[in-house]
């Protein structure tokens, strides 16, 4: 069953903490069809999701403990937030940050404190542990991104002189300096899926920071600007043909860009405010996530852009840091009411299919139901989002392994679309009350679905059916149900 809280784990991963982290397990955005899920924490005030696996099922980032030590985490719905270790730093200097992850989620890169007191780039492989990637002669390095198969790592390292250099690492070549555009420094932020294209920034002979793209055949190339003198590339798509980042315009404002080989650098439609910066792009190059200032209201917030939709703002006080290869999920953080930064995952792509139309409620229209998550049942990753509920109506999920139709339903205006062995999700935190937006989200565990005789797990090949039951007054006290959703595992 679903609870209203997510269990956190201690930094050593020896067992659950006695307290529960309950800061908004699932949030709702009524402005767009999405769900926002709090990923938990190690007990401290700062937690960030920075990158995702291809399907968005695995998120990596970092989380602070109550003593403000940072720990690299790897999160999935099945395991929760797990500490993946460090390179042996001690005392108050211990810690690690996970910045990138392979397509399958089994290789993580980032940086960690070492016993000497500096930070080194690492490559962590599930089942094999963490490897120190060294430096280019200086004291510090960081892994920022990794290829789809986990074999190519890019990032930056200091030289013995103290200057920064972009690097590309493989198990065969080790760490290789990618050079500059005539200046002293460079920095790699992203790599293509096959590892052949690296993007970031490099200084030119005038000392200006320029967005750049590296390949083995062309070396470093300057991608230009949006009219100003400085730019930086943040990420590239699967084959390296699309690059996103930020550039100064002629007025000196920072603007998001999307670069293609055919069209060069183009300003990305943004939220209309004083600045915007593109952060990541999906494998196809069609979905970009960015952060910007809205034209109205001030502050800053993340947004998701595509040519079809333009910029779609996330909730206020949110920052997005990465997008999945399929474009259906993103990771970042949300500023909670108490000021803590909470690591979150956004989901846009739905799974399953609606069936069995619902009856109109007191608002004059039927309530809808969408499902988000993974069709790989071992991921245990499922969220349901109901929309169009009356303000203040009490609601909960019902589910069954088969479909059916019962209408009219005694004592209700709704149409029941589930068959035998119906289970009701009304444990702690599962019965919720709709607010003025009329939307609610439930995060479910497909490994523990309720039935009349206890809980059962969805298995590969099963199709599970879901609806939401809710109270209404239409015009007198009654109940209704949303449309149904079938999720095939």
């Amino acid at each position: 069953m679903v609870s209203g809280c997510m269990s956190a784990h201690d930094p050593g991963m020896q067992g659950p903490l006695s307290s529960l982290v309950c800061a908004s397990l699932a949030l709702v955005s009524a402005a767009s069809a999405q769900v926002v899920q709090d990923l938990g924490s190690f007990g401290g005030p700062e937690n960030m999701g920075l990158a995702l696996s291809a399907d968005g099922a695995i998120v990596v980032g970092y989380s602070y403990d109550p003593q403000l030590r940072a720990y690299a985490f790897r999160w999935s719905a099945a395991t929760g937030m797990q500490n993946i270790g460090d390179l042996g730093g001690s005392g108050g200097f211990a810690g690690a940050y996970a910045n990138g992850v392979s397509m399958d989620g089994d290789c993580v890169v980032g940086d960690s404190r070492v016993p000497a007191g500096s930070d080194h780039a690492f490559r962590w492989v599930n089942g094999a542990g963490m490897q120190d990637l060294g430096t280019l002669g200086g004291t510090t390095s960081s892994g920022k991104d990794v290829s789809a198969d986990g074999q190519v790592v890019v990032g930056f390292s200091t030289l013995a002189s103290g200057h920064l250099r972009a690097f590309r690492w493989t198990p065969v070549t080790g760490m290789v300096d990618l050079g500059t555009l005539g200046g002293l420094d460079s920095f790699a932020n992203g790599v293509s899926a096959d590892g052949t294209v690296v993007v970031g920034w490099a200084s030119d002979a005038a000392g200006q920071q320029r967005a750049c793209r590296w390949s083995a055949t062309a070396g470093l190339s300057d991608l230009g600007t949006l009219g100003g003198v400085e730019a930086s590339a943040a990420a590239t798509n699967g084959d390296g043909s699309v690059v996103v980042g930020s550039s100064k315009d002629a007025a000196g404002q920072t603007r998001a860009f999307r670069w293609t080989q055919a069209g060069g650098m183009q300003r990305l439609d943004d939220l209309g405010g004083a600045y915007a910066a593109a952060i990541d792009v999906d494998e196809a190059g069609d979905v970009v996530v960015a952060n910007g200032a809205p034209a109205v209201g001030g502050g800053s917030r993340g947004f998701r852009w595509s040519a079809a939709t333009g910029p779609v703002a996330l909730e206020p006080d949110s920052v997005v840091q990465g997008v999945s290869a399929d474009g259906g999920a993103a990771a970042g953080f949300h500023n909670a009411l108490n000021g803590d930064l909470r690591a979150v995952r956004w989901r846009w792509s739905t799974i399953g299919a609606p069936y069995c139309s619902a009856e109109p409620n007191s608002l004059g229209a039927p309530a809808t139901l969408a499902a988000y998550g993974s069709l790989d049942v071992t991921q245990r990753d499922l969220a349901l989002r109901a929309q169009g509920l009356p303000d203040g109506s009490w609601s909960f999920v019902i589910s069954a392994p088969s479909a059916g139709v019962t209408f009219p339903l005694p004592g209700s205006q709704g149409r029941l679309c589930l068959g035998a062995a119906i289970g009701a999700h009304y444990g702690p935190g599962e019965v919720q009350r709709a607010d003025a937006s009329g939307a609610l989200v439930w995060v479910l565990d497909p490994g523990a679905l309720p039935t009349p005789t206890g809980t059962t797990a969805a298995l590969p090949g099963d199709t599970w059916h879901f609806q939401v039951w809710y109270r209404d007054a239409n015009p007198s006290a009654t109940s209704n149900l949303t449309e149904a959703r079938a999720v095939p595992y």
Side-chain angles (χ1 to χ4, degrees), residues 407-435:
F407 185 77
L409 184 64
S412 175
Q413 294 181 348
R415 186 188 310 272
L416 178 64
C417 303
L418 307 185
I422 297 173
H425 300 249
Y426 47 67
E430 294 180 322
V431 180
Q432 302 186 51
R433 195 171 190 175
D435 61 15

Side-chain angles (χ1 to χ4, degrees), residues 103 145-148 168 190-200 212-219 221 223 233-244 257-264 280-286:
M103 287 270 192
D145 198 11
V146 63
S147 60
R168 181 179 183 271
V191 64
S192 60
D194 64 4
T196 62
V197 175
V198 183
V199 300
C212 63
R213 178 181 182 271
W214 176 95
S215 70
T217 55
S221 56
L223 300 183
T236 186
N237 71 325
D239 64 5
S241 63
V242 177
V243 181
V244 301
F257 75 76
R258 180 177 180 269
W259 176 96
T260 65
Q261 290 175 315
D280 202 4
V281 61
D282 71 344
E283 185 173 21
D286 297 331

Side-chain angles (χ1 to χ4, degrees), residues 49 279 289-291 302-303 314 318-323 330-333 346 348:
I279 301 299
V289 293
N291 297 303
F303 64 94
L314 306 180
S318 62
V319 172
V320 63
Q321 299 282 15
V323 68
F333 64 91
W346 291 269
W348 292 280

